[in-house]
Amino acid sequence: MAETDEFGEELADFVRRVAELKSARSVPADELPTVLDAAIFELDHVADQLWPRFQRLSSDGPSGIASTDRQEQQLLKALFQRVPVPVALVDRETVVRRLNFAAASFTGVRAGYATGRPLTGFLAHADRAAFRSQAAAVARGDGDRSLTVHLQQQPSAPVRATLTALRPSGEPRSAVLVVLQPADSRVPSGANTPGPAPNLTETTRHTVLMDLVDAMTTTLLSAPGEGRSAVPERAAEVLHERFADWVVVDTGAARLSRTTVLGPSDIPGPSDTTGPSDTTGPSDTTGPPGAPGLSDTPGLSDIQGPSEGRRPSEGRRPSAYAEVVAALAAQDPAACPLVVEAARGGSTALQVRPEDPDVFGRDTSGDPFLVRANVTSLLCVPLTTASGPVRGVLTLFRSGGRLAFSMAEAQAMDMMSRHIALAMARLN
């Protein structure tokens, strides 16, 4: 019983120190690294001292686990949630078991959503393999590790991840405690994290979506009779950059063939400063199968207004994604699991932070297309009517820090896909 009382006193001292750390959040920015170091030291104290002592007390049998001990265990859980440092508890496969409030705010992911999902799914693709390898090494008992990673929704801001092993009571394997902090030693703030769209009402959002549907309908009704394959190409031009950074069109009933690939816009050349040409509307971005398409205005938000196009010869330099566009144009749709499933099942697929990078296939060098295109959300919609066959598949990507596709946008895209399929059936 004396050991239990001593443990309670030490735990109470720890609680008081945590309260002091909470009050230290208002110190000047140049002194915050010291506060963060102290917080990490306290977490190490919990992992190395308090937690093993609690395990010893709990292993004494039912008689050794009094109500006071259970209360202290609940207190430890509360401390984990309230400690003012982003902390996550993961297993050796990086699957999140617990995420405290600071970590949820830091990553922009709700704890309930993150639990049961790999923490690597919220990191940039290039950092996932290294983080997974280091977490496995820590879980094996190879010692603590630290590495720099990048969050998928904010790839420009480096994050320092510190990993240490932790053996939960009654479990045969060690878990991994992950502490996240900005690599530049600054406390994350709302100004540094991508927030929601501008403060618009739901009515305004609906109006913007209806403007896009109106633009699509106008394009489909005013398109000349150029053949069925020209319909999805014109629809792709409406969606490109105004609605998505990447647009991939596959057409065909018995066998799909890739007809259009539109990637992020290229960098304007010197002659672009003279102003746009007299040609308005989307630029001429389509061509024969395998020919990549490009456009001019980068996507900066959910849905943008139509941009003024320029002819390809007006002083434009090649896009940084030109090689990815060419590789996508040369891909066989049959090698793309997402497209095959949409054509077979006839249902829309919406994925935010895709967990499987191979869902859209790989290029000839073996690199996943989703990684090369820096895809953060995607929409894959079949081009079909209520009772007709699937006439093609339209795939949309958003990349970088652009807001992910929403359910409302997916519903609007599903409606536009039926309009496109009707226009294709009319010209059949």
Side-chain angles (χ1 to χ4, degrees), residues 231-248:
V231 173
E233 293 175 358
R234 290 183 173 273
E237 292 175 352
V238 175
L239 297 170
H240 183 221
E241 294 186 334
R242 182 178 183 178
F243 188 68
D245 298 312
W246 297 79
V247 182
V248 180

Side-chain angles (χ1 to χ4, degrees), residues 158-382:
V159 176
R160 195 68 181 171
T162 303
L163 291 74
T164 185
L166 181 67
R167 177 66 66 87
S169 177
E171 296 188 11
R173 294 183 177 181
S174 296
V176 179
L177 195 67
V178 182
V179 179
L180 303 173
Q181 57 183 329
D184 56 4
S185 299
R186 291 180 299 177
V187 171
S189 62
N192 295 330
T193 56
N199 190 17
L200 306 176
T201 63
E202 290 300 322
T203 302
T204 305
R205 290 179 182 273
H206 181 74
T207 301
V208 173
L209 272 176
M210 290 302 100
D211 287 343
L212 178 65
V213 174
D214 176 70
M216 178 66 72
T217 304
T218 301
T219 299
L220 295 177
L221 293 177
S222 61
E226 299 175 349
R228 188 174 61 180
S229 61
V231 173
E233 293 175 358
R234 290 183 173 273
E237 292 175 352
V238 175
L239 297 170
H240 183 221
E241 294 186 334
R242 182 178 183 178
F243 188 68
D245 298 312
W246 297 79
V247 182
V248 180
V249 179
D250 300 299
T251 58
R255 178 176 176 81
L256 292 173
S257 61
R258 186 145 298 168
T259 57
T260 304
V261 177
L262 306 179
S265 62
D266 54 356
I267 305 170
S271 62
D272 282 47
T273 56
T274 59
S277 67
D278 56 356
T279 303
T280 58
S283 59
D284 186 8
T285 58
T286 60
L294 300 172
S295 185
D296 298 287
T297 306
L300 299 176
S301 62
D302 281 335
I303 305 176
Q304 303 172 357
S307 59
E308 294 183 343
R310 300 181 179 89
R311 294 185 178 93
S313 60
E314 292 183 349
R316 303 193 322 189
R317 293 182 292 185
S319 169
Y321 287 102
E323 293 182 1
V324 185
V325 172
L328 278 171
Q331 183 192 32
D332 183 2
C336 179
L338 188 68
V339 173
V340 172
E341 182 64 26
R344 181 184 304 161
S347 58
T348 299
L350 167 62
Q351 295 188 21
V352 178
R353 302 187 189 94
E355 295 183 5
D356 183 6
D358 295 329
V359 72
F360 207 76
R362 294 173 175 259
D363 60 13
T364 55
S365 62
D367 296 327
F369 279 113
L370 295 189
V371 177
R372 295 194 63 186
N374 192 24
V375 175
T376 55
S377 64
L378 63 86
L379 262 176
C380 188
V381 292

